[in-house]
């Protein structure tokens, strides 16, 4: 490996101001995970937070997250998930770049790679029932098309909270990205996406879909138990918390995960 860029990946932090009954305390979990990650990957280039930053999308939880991140000596790239609130996030994290339509997505150079972070939080339309599913919508797909065109031949890593295809958990597959096939059509046309990174499931999953490799990471808080069937999206187990390490190098991408002791 001549050149390598390293990302530390935390997803599904679910920060709250008040403790949720029966759930681990998110702030101490995140602090313990960050300390473990920064000491075990001291040459990391940045930290990616892949959505569900908070559980209820409230200002207090975003402020609490912001306070934890103040001690982090690396650039931090926050993304949104279904539990987030775009307007409140932008209020508390006003310096985070957004695209021309106000979606929290951007392109970050990563050595020879481009890291493209997408905003898959549904933009609610009048009359729509609330859903924990994700979407890119025509505006965000057009933005991604332009970003991939701009990247030219550069290899790309796409990070998105919602998996853009089924991952085998029936309940979670019911709230995956709604326009995943359009996303896959688009990246197939460009042919430069080497790796997709996701959260949302709260479990380590690797695979490929239509030829593109993907990785899903565990959360610092509750994990998804091995129950493939059923329709309960809220089941959680107390498997150890974890974070991911993604290494982009001249010949491709490596993906690791690391459990850390719960405080
Ligand atoms: Fe989550
Ligand atoms: Fe989620």
């Amino acid at each position: 490996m001549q050149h390598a860029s390293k990302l530390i990946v935390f997803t599904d932090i679910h920060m709250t101001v008040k403790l949720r009954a029966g759930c681990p305390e998110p702030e101490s979990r995140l602090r313990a995970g960050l300390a473990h990650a920064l000491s075990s990957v001291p040459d990391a280039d940045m930290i990616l937070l892949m959505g569900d930053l908070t559980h209820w999308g409230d200002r207090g939880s975003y402020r609490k997250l912001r306070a934890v991140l103040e001690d982090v000596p690396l650039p931090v790239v926050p993304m949104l998930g279904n539990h987030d609130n775009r307007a409140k996030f932008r209020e508390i994290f006003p310096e985070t770049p957004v695209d021309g339509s106000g979606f929290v997505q951007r392109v970050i150079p990563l050595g020879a790679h481009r890291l493209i972070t997408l905003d898959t939080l549904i933009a609610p339309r009048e009359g729509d029932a609330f859903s924990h599913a994700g979407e890119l919508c025509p505006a965000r797909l057009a933005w991604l098309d332009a970003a991939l065109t701009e990247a030219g031949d550069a290899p790309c890593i796409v990070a998105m909270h919602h998996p853009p295809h089924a991952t085998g958990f029936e309940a979670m597959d019911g709230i995956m990205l709604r326009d995943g096939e359009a996303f896959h059509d688009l990246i197939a046309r460009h042919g430069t996406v080497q790796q997709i990174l996701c959260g949302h499931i709260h479990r380590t999953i690797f695979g490929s879909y239509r030829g593109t490799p993907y990785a899903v990471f565990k959360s610092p808080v509750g994990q998804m138990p091995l129950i493939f069937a059923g329709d309960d999206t809220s089941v959680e187990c107390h498997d150890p918390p974890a974070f991911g390490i993604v290494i982009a190098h001249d010949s491709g991408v490596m993906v690791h995960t690391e459990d850390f002791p719960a405080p």
Side-chain angles (χ1 to χ4, degrees):
M1 278 197 305
Q2 289 168 331
H3 179 85
S5 302
K6 290 187 186 167
L7 298 176
I8 291 171
V9 178
F10 280 85
T11 188
D12 296 276
I13 294 162
H14 289 264
M15 187 65 80
T16 54
V17 173
K18 283 187 189 158
L19 198 57
R20 286 190 292 146
C23 295
E25 203 285 295
E27 180 184 356
S28 56
R29 286 286 180 102
L30 180 60
R31 285 189 187 278
L34 284 168
H36 187 105
L38 290 167
S39 65
S40 52
V41 194
D43 55 348
D45 294 279
M46 68 183 76
I47 296 184
L48 188 60
L49 307 179
M50 292 210 310
D52 286 357
L53 301 171
T54 63
H55 190 72
W56 287 298
D58 57 299
R59 291 183 185 84
S61 299
Y62 286 118
R63 281 193 203 100
K64 197 167 169 184
L65 175 62
R66 193 174 174 106
V68 174
L69 298 176
E70 255 155 36
D71 302 333
V72 173
L74 288 177
V76 176
V77 178
M79 296 166 52
L80 300 184
N82 48 297
H83 280 272
D84 288 303
N85 178 294
R86 194 176 287 110
K88 288 176 189 161
F89 166 80
R90 290 186 60 189
E91 212 180 296
I92 310 297
F93 288 81
E95 68 289 347
T96 302
V98 296
D99 73 7
S101 308
F103 292 114
V104 184
Q105 44 185 23
R106 58 175 146 159
V107 181
I108 298 164
L110 200 65
H113 283 74
R114 299 287 178 279
L115 172 65
I116 303 177
T117 61
L118 297 179
D119 178 340
T120 59
L121 172 60
I122 286 178
R125 279 163 290 264
E126 229 174 288
D128 280 4
F130 176 78
S131 169
H132 279 296
E135 70 172 9
L136 282 172
C137 76
R140 281 170 276 182
L141 286 167
W143 179 89
L144 175 60
D145 194 14
L148 289 169
T149 302
E150 171 86 27
D153 294 333
C156 295
I157 297 172
V158 174
M160 55 206 300
H161 180 75
H162 292 81
H165 49 258
T167 53
F169 290 90
E170 276 177 17
M172 297 307 289
D173 290 345
I175 53 168
M176 65 181 183
L177 193 76
R178 285 173 173 167
D179 40 10
E181 289 307 313
F183 165 82
H184 276 288
D185 289 344
L186 177 56
I187 66 166
R189 211 161 65 238
H190 286 275
T192 49
V193 175
Q194 289 189 339
Q195 181 72 51
I196 298 169
L197 309 173
C198 305
H200 194 48
I201 314 293
H202 296 224
R203 193 175 173 91
T204 309
I205 305 169
F206 295 112
S208 67
Y209 189 84
R210 292 174 57 179
T212 307
Y214 68 90
V216 183
F217 299 99
K218 282 165 80 177
S219 160
V221 287
Q223 315 304 337
M224 167 67 79
L226 187 56
I227 304 170
F228 286 131
D231 57 7
D232 185 357
T233 59
S234 65
V235 283
E236 283 192 359
C237 67
H238 295 289
D239 283 354
F243 60 90
I245 307 104
V246 175
I247 304 169
H249 57 88
D250 291 341
S251 306
V253 180
M254 286 185 233
V255 180
H256 298 261
T257 79
E258 169 76 345
D259 289 353
F260 61 91

